Amino acid sequence: MLKLYGHSGCGTCKKAIRWLNDHQIPFEEHPIRQTPPSRAELERMLCHMEGKVRKLFNTSGQAYRAQGIKDRLPDLSAAEALDLLAADGNLIKRPFVLTEDDGFVGFQEDHWRRRLLETKLGS
């Protein structure tokens, strides 16, 4: 089952949810601020992002700017960055999506179509 972490006030998350519903893809929704992804889920996502920890951060968010993470990120280890993300769901890029064997962040319709529909059809 697809697991989506999002925020109800996020326009991108709303588009993603509408797209999933339009394509009849079942999903489990979690509020990212109240229940952020677990450390293990963040580690899985980091693997899907080929170790590029910056891709996990909501770089346009207030929390990211307020904590000066842009300047701190180059000096953080992956473990330290994951600790920051696990502690504050506002820092995580959304929607944050995990399936049994895949993971991605953000919503780009063509990307989702390839990852969720075309892959399924090719199976």
Side-chain angles (χ1 to χ4, degrees):
M1 162 90 48
L2 183 144
K3 187 183 268 194
L4 180 143
Y5 287 91
H7 173 56
S8 61
C10 170
T12 305
C13 294
K14 289 176 186 178
K15 285 180 190 175
I17 289 168
R18 187 173 351 167
W19 188 89
L20 290 170
N21 287 327
D22 288 350
H23 291 88
Q24 300 177 344
I25 297 172
F27 64 97
E28 187 179 284
E29 185 177 358
H30 299 271
I32 201 164
R33 290 180 173 182
Q34 292 81 7
T35 56
S38 69
R39 176 63 185 253
E41 289 172 322
L42 289 164
E43 289 172 357
R44 274 185 57 208
M45 185 64 80
L46 185 58
C47 289
H48 293 298
M49 298 290 111
E50 299 173 344
K52 297 175 184 166
V53 74
R54 185 180 183 281
K55 289 186 174 190
L56 300 181
F57 280 91
N58 176 10
T59 58
S60 61
Q62 290 178 350
Y64 183 85
R65 289 190 305 270
Q67 294 182 38
I69 293 175
K70 178 183 177 183
D71 297 325
R72 295 171 47 203
L73 197 53
D75 297 325
L76 293 176
S77 68
E80 291 168 326
L82 292 176
D83 286 343
L84 284 172
L85 292 163
D88 186 351
N90 289 319
L91 291 173
I92 302 170
K93 185 168 179 77
R94 55 187 186 248
F96 180 101
V97 175
L98 286 171
T99 67
E100 188 174 309
D101 56 358
D102 201 358
F104 41 93
V105 294
F107 176 69
Q108 294 177 332
E109 186 173 345
D110 60 332
H111 180 79
W112 281 42
R113 183 176 311 282
R114 280 193 313 276
R115 302 288 276 271
L116 297 173
L117 294 178
E118 294 172 11
T119 303
K120 192 190 305 186
L121 295 174
S123 300

CSV table of all heavy atoms in Angstrom, one decimal, residues 54-62 64-65 73 90-93:
chain,number,residue,atom,x,y,z
A,54,ARG,N,19.7,16.5,0.7
A,54,ARG,CA,19.1,17.8,0.5
A,54,ARG,C,17.7,17.6,-0.2
A,54,ARG,O,16.8,18.4,0.0
A,54,ARG,CB,20.0,18.7,-0.4
A,54,ARG,CG,19.4,20.1,-0.6
A,54,ARG,CD,20.3,20.9,-1.5
A,54,ARG,NE,19.8,22.3,-1.6
A,54,ARG,CZ,18.8,22.6,-2.4
A,54,ARG,NH1,18.2,21.7,-3.2
A,54,ARG,NH2,18.4,23.9,-2.5
A,55,LYS,N,17.6,16.6,-1.0
A,55,LYS,CA,16.3,16.3,-1.7
A,55,LYS,C,15.2,16.0,-0.7
A,55,LYS,O,14.0,16.1,-1.1
A,55,LYS,CB,16.4,15.2,-2.7
A,55,LYS,CG,17.2,15.5,-3.9
A,55,LYS,CD,17.2,14.4,-4.9
A,55,LYS,CE,17.9,14.9,-6.2
A,55,LYS,NZ,17.7,13.9,-7.3
A,56,LEU,N,15.5,15.6,0.5
A,56,LEU,CA,14.5,15.3,1.5
A,56,LEU,C,13.9,16.6,2.2
A,56,LEU,O,12.9,16.5,2.9
A,56,LEU,CB,15.0,14.3,2.6
A,56,LEU,CG,15.5,13.0,2.0
A,56,LEU,CD1,16.0,12.1,3.2
A,56,LEU,CD2,14.4,12.3,1.3
A,57,PHE,N,14.6,17.7,2.1
A,57,PHE,CA,14.3,18.9,2.8
A,57,PHE,C,13.3,19.8,2.0
A,57,PHE,O,13.4,19.9,0.8
A,57,PHE,CB,15.5,19.7,3.1
A,57,PHE,CG,16.3,19.2,4.3
A,57,PHE,CD1,17.3,18.3,4.2
A,57,PHE,CD2,16.0,19.7,5.6
A,57,PHE,CE1,18.0,17.9,5.3
A,57,PHE,CE2,16.7,19.2,6.7
A,57,PHE,CZ,17.7,18.3,6.5
A,58,ASN,N,12.3,20.3,2.7
A,58,ASN,CA,11.4,21.3,2.2
A,58,ASN,C,12.2,22.7,2.2
A,58,ASN,O,12.1,23.4,3.1
A,58,ASN,CB,10.2,21.4,3.1
A,58,ASN,CG,9.2,22.5,2.6
A,58,ASN,OD1,9.3,23.1,1.6
A,58,ASN,ND2,8.2,22.7,3.5
A,59,THR,N,12.9,22.9,1.1
A,59,THR,CA,13.8,24.0,1.1
A,59,THR,C,13.1,25.4,1.0
A,59,THR,O,13.7,26.4,1.2
A,59,THR,CB,14.8,23.9,-0.1
A,59,THR,OG1,14.1,23.8,-1.3
A,59,THR,CG2,15.7,22.7,0.1
A,60,SER,N,11.8,25.4,0.7
A,60,SER,CA,11.1,26.6,0.6
A,60,SER,C,10.3,26.9,1.9
A,60,SER,O,9.6,27.9,2.0
A,60,SER,CB,10.1,26.6,-0.6
A,60,SER,OG,9.2,25.5,-0.5
A,61,GLY,N,10.4,26.0,2.9
A,61,GLY,CA,9.6,26.1,4.1
A,61,GLY,C,10.2,27.1,5.1
A,61,GLY,O,11.4,27.4,5.1
A,62,GLN,N,9.4,27.6,5.9
A,62,GLN,CA,9.8,28.6,7.0
A,62,GLN,C,10.8,28.0,8.0
A,62,GLN,O,11.7,28.6,8.4
A,62,GLN,CB,8.6,29.2,7.7
A,62,GLN,CG,7.8,30.1,6.9
A,62,GLN,CD,6.5,30.6,7.6
A,62,GLN,OE1,6.2,30.1,8.7
A,62,GLN,NE2,5.9,31.6,7.1
A,64,TYR,N,12.9,25.6,7.5
A,64,TYR,CA,14.2,25.4,6.8
A,64,TYR,C,15.0,26.7,6.9
A,64,TYR,O,16.1,26.8,7.2
A,64,TYR,CB,14.0,25.0,5.4
A,64,TYR,CG,15.2,24.7,4.6
A,64,TYR,CD1,15.8,23.4,4.7
A,64,TYR,CD2,15.8,25.6,3.7
A,64,TYR,CE1,17.0,23.1,3.9
A,64,TYR,CE2,16.9,25.4,3.0
A,64,TYR,CZ,17.5,24.1,3.1
A,64,TYR,OH,18.6,23.8,2.3
A,65,ARG,N,14.3,27.8,6.6
A,65,ARG,CA,14.9,29.1,6.6
A,65,ARG,C,15.3,29.6,8.0
A,65,ARG,O,16.3,30.1,8.2
A,65,ARG,CB,14.1,30.1,5.8
A,65,ARG,CG,14.0,29.9,4.3
A,65,ARG,CD,13.3,31.1,3.6
A,65,ARG,NE,12.0,31.4,4.1
A,65,ARG,CZ,10.9,30.9,3.6
A,65,ARG,NH1,10.9,30.0,2.7
A,65,ARG,NH2,9.7,31.2,4.1
A,73,LEU,N,23.7,22.6,6.1
A,73,LEU,CA,23.5,21.3,5.5
A,73,LEU,C,24.9,20.7,4.9
A,73,LEU,O,25.1,19.6,5.1
A,73,LEU,CB,22.5,21.4,4.4
A,73,LEU,CG,22.0,20.0,3.8
A,73,LEU,CD1,21.5,19.1,5.0
A,73,LEU,CD2,20.9,20.3,2.8
A,90,ASN,N,7.9,19.6,9.5
A,90,ASN,CA,7.9,20.8,8.6
A,90,ASN,C,9.1,20.9,7.7
A,90,ASN,O,9.1,21.6,6.7
A,90,ASN,CB,7.8,22.1,9.5
A,90,ASN,CG,6.5,22.3,10.1
A,90,ASN,OD1,5.4,22.0,9.5
A,90,ASN,ND2,6.5,22.7,11.4
A,91,LEU,N,10.2,20.2,8.1
A,91,LEU,CA,11.4,20.3,7.3
A,91,LEU,C,11.4,19.3,6.1
A,91,LEU,O,12.2,19.4,5.2
A,91,LEU,CB,12.6,19.9,8.2
A,91,LEU,CG,13.0,20.9,9.3
A,91,LEU,CD1,14.1,20.4,10.2
A,91,LEU,CD2,13.4,22.2,8.7
A,92,ILE,N,10.4,18.4,6.1
A,92,ILE,CA,10.4,17.3,5.1
A,92,ILE,C,9.7,17.8,3.9
A,92,ILE,O,8.6,18.3,3.9
A,92,ILE,CB,9.8,16.1,5.7
A,92,ILE,CG1,10.6,15.6,6.9
A,92,ILE,CG2,9.8,15.0,4.6
A,92,ILE,CD1,9.9,14.5,7.7
A,93,LYS,N,10.3,17.6,2.7
A,93,LYS,CA,9.6,17.9,1.4
A,93,LYS,C,8.4,17.0,1.3
A,93,LYS,O,8.4,15.8,1.6
A,93,LYS,CB,10.6,17.6,0.3
A,93,LYS,CG,10.0,18.0,-1.1
A,93,LYS,CD,11.1,18.0,-2.1
A,93,LYS,CE,10.5,18.4,-3.5
A,93,LYS,NZ,10.3,19.8,-3.6
